Amino acid sequence: MLTRRRFLGYSAAGFLAATAGCRPANLKWFSDLQEEPANTRLSLTDKTRLAELKNRFLGYPVNMNTPPEAFFAWRHQLFEAGIDRFAYNNVGNPFQPSPIPYNTHDFERETILRFGELFAFSPGNIWGFLSHSGTDSNMHGMYMGRTLLKGRTGETPKAYFTKESHYSIQILADLLGLERIMVDTLPDSGMDPDDLGQKLADNPNHPALVVATTGTTFKGGIDWLDPIQKALQGYPSYLHLDAALFGGYLPHTTYAGEVLHASETNPTIGRYDSIAVSCHKFFGFPSPAGLFITTESNFNEFNELYSQIHSPEYIGHVPGTITCSRDGVKPAEFYFFSSPSAWAKQTEDAQAVLQNADYLIGEMQSHFADLLPQRANALSNTVYFKKPDDWIVEKYSLATMQLEIDGMKEHYAHVVVMPHADRKVLTEFLTDLDRTG
């Protein structure tokens, strides 16, 4: 038996030697590392080269700028305080006491409250948490909507969204056992409220779980909230807003109204029930995470129904989240991005993103009209166009899809103008396009 005394007496090498007979033969970490041929080892030179080329990453919605030094100083302060030195776990509801003292619920709670107020949720009526990703936030929104609507009506809702929404919505609808109703889109790729109204009328016996997208994945389209809400009048419904990318920058622009929870005409009425925003897209947070924000009143009603599904005795309260253990480090780190100074930088980045998107679509329409460049709306940082030569797709990591436009199927690519995509990079991209002419 390996006693505590014997364990403490082993050095690392001695412990490995003592337990060598218990290890599978294929786990030869140290010997393999020493014997590995130099030309097959992980090349730091290649990694350095990739880091140098990161500003050319134009095809996907990720901010490749390195966070400011103040962020890493904040990380260091957290580390000095013990966070990330051993297991931190944000299990359960961050607005309730946790049985696990090693958590960062205070940072998580404050972050949600700050962003909730930024999105114009009523103070005192905000609930949420930091999720594993934007998809995780969407899952919680759709699950909450399904639970509430079934609890209110006794019927399982049907899920309404468009083909332009993120592919995860299709997966989540399947995971949650929801019948999918595909709503037509307008020429700008946003949800057609008239078609939504017709399909709601075709399914009068089921409540509606509507997933609206502010910034569709490929075209950057917007499912405009106010016409959707008008179509939903008279129907039991829950409206979840997937604002993974646009929800990061729109609050800092003159277009903030498209993601605000409060109605301009009646601030006491919410324009949606919950919102998902990705932390690793616009903000430049260096690992996947997501914000999920809803009202406290929605949460309390949901939690009452949720408490009937399982026993919360183990953690002392109904958690309100699908996942049990949650990362306790990321909420403390992402708290940095909710400070006034961080918001000032986000405002600067948001303005640059839209100005550079203006520049790119203007230049492409002037000089590369044959590629049929399009931008769905003035709020979008996405420009899509007929797919250029493969070497350009590879150089700039462009995402490509086959689209049907005006009855014609053609392969398209897009550029998502993120904070790192400055005029220098965009001009290089335009110059490369010109070389293909």
Side-chain angles (χ1 to χ4, degrees):
M1 185 175 82
L2 182 62
T3 65
R4 179 176 179 274
R5 169 177 263 181
R6 289 181 64 196
F7 175 81
L8 294 174
Y10 284 131
S11 65
F15 181 74
L16 286 172
T19 59
C22 302
R23 286 186 291 138
N26 61 339
L27 294 183
K28 300 181 298 179
W29 322 316
F30 294 110
S31 59
D32 283 355
L33 185 61
Q34 296 300 320
E35 297 169 6
E36 187 178 14
N39 61 353
T40 65
R41 292 180 190 169
L42 182 65
S43 171
L44 290 178
T45 302
D46 288 344
K47 294 298 179 185
T48 301
R49 179 175 173 273
L50 283 174
E52 291 171 349
L53 298 177
K54 66 183 176 65
N55 285 350
R56 292 180 185 158
F57 188 71
L58 300 183
Y60 295 87
V62 181
N63 179 356
M64 299 298 287
N65 283 338
T66 302
E69 287 300 320
F71 170 72
F72 296 101
W74 172 241
R75 264 187 169 179
H76 181 70
Q77 289 181 54
L78 294 173
F79 184 76
E80 288 298 308
I83 297 172
D84 211 15
R85 285 179 181 259
F86 50 87
Y88 267 69
N89 194 325
N90 277 19
V91 63
N93 180 354
F95 290 76
Q96 290 287 337
S98 172
I100 298 175
Y102 307 106
N103 67 70
T104 60
H105 279 169
D106 49 353
F107 289 116
E108 183 173 24
R109 184 169 58 249
E110 183 63 24
T111 299
I112 292 300
L113 292 174
R114 290 182 180 185
F115 275 98
E117 291 186 15
L118 181 67
F119 288 113
F121 282 77
S122 298
N125 193 22
I126 302 171
W127 186 87
F129 64 97
L130 201 84
S131 70
H132 299 297
S133 66
T135 296
D136 190 27
S137 294
N138 284 333
M139 177 172 66
H140 278 83
M142 292 176 70
Y143 181 64
M144 180 175 283
R146 189 191 76 169
T147 303
L148 289 175
L149 291 173
K150 190 171 183 180
R152 293 168 185 169
T153 69
E155 297 286 343
T156 300
K158 295 187 178 184
Y160 294 76
F161 51 92
T162 77
K163 65 180 181 180
E164 301 291 344
S165 61
H166 192 263
Y167 64 86
S168 66
I169 304 303
Q170 301 171 38
I171 297 170
L172 294 172
D174 182 65
L175 179 69
L176 294 169
L178 297 170
E179 182 181 338
R180 294 174 282 180
I181 307 292
M182 300 302 290
V183 183
D184 291 344
T185 56
L186 298 167
D188 67 359
S189 79
M191 182 180 288
D192 182 346
D194 291 336
D195 187 61
L196 173 62
Q198 182 58 56
K199 284 173 176 167
L200 288 168
D202 292 341
N203 297 274
N205 298 323
H206 291 269
L209 172 55
V210 179
V211 181
T213 304
T214 300
T216 58
T217 304
F218 196 81
K219 296 179 181 176
I222 290 177
D223 297 340
W224 305 100
L225 290 176
D226 294 330
I228 291 173
Q229 281 288 11
K230 187 175 180 180
L232 287 172
Q233 288 179 6
Y235 294 94
S237 63
Y238 182 101
L239 178 57
H240 173 70
L241 183 59
D242 178 8
L245 170 59
F246 285 27
Y249 69 81
L250 284 183
H252 304 289
T253 71
T254 56
Y255 305 114
E258 276 313 308
V259 289
L260 295 186
H261 181 258
S263 166
E264 288 185 9
T265 56
N266 190 343
T268 62
I269 298 178
R271 299 166 67 232
Y272 52 84
D273 290 288
S274 55
I275 185 171
V277 181
S278 293
C279 301
H280 53 286
K281 289 189 167 77
F282 171 72
F283 302 102
F285 188 58
S287 58
L291 295 168
F292 175 75
I293 305 175
T294 186
T295 62
E296 185 181 29
S297 51
N298 268 345
F299 170 74
N300 288 337
E301 182 185 353
F302 164 77
N303 224 32
E304 180 63 29
L305 296 165
Y306 196 34
S307 67
Q308 301 168 23
I309 297 171
H310 67 99
S311 169
E313 185 177 1
Y314 186 64
I315 61 170
H317 67 273
V318 181
T321 59
I322 300 171
T323 45
C324 180
S325 293
R326 291 185 291 107
D327 196 323
V329 177
K330 287 180 183 177
E333 292 181 342
F334 191 72
Y335 173 79
F336 174 89
F337 293 89
S338 70
S339 68
S341 60
W343 281 353
K345 181 63 168 68
Q346 289 161 32
T347 299
E348 179 184 318
D349 285 346
Q351 292 173 351
V353 158
L354 292 182
Q355 289 170 0
N356 286 333
D358 287 342
Y359 167 75
L360 180 61
I361 187 63
E363 290 296 304
M364 290 196 71
Q365 289 178 340
S366 295
H367 303 291
F368 305 101
D370 58 310
L371 294 180
L372 304 180
Q374 298 183 59
R375 184 185 182 195
N377 52 73
L379 291 66
S380 175
N381 67 336
T382 304
V383 175
Y384 61 101
F385 42 88
K386 289 170 65 174
K387 177 180 168 293
D389 289 353
D390 287 343
W391 69 270
I392 293 182
V393 171
E394 182 177 352
K395 178 177 178 179
Y396 295 97
S397 302
L398 301 184
T400 62
M401 285 186 67
Q402 188 179 64
L403 304 180
E404 184 173 343
I405 298 180
D406 297 329
M408 299 290 292
K409 288 186 177 180
E410 188 113 34
H411 281 93
Y412 274 68
H414 73 183
V415 165
V416 186
V417 182
M418 298 301 288
H420 68 274
D422 57 19
R423 293 290 175 93
K424 179 181 177 182
V425 174
L426 295 178
T427 300
E428 181 182 354
F429 171 71
L430 292 166
T431 300
D432 284 339
L433 285 180
D434 194 43
R435 288 172 57 193
T436 67

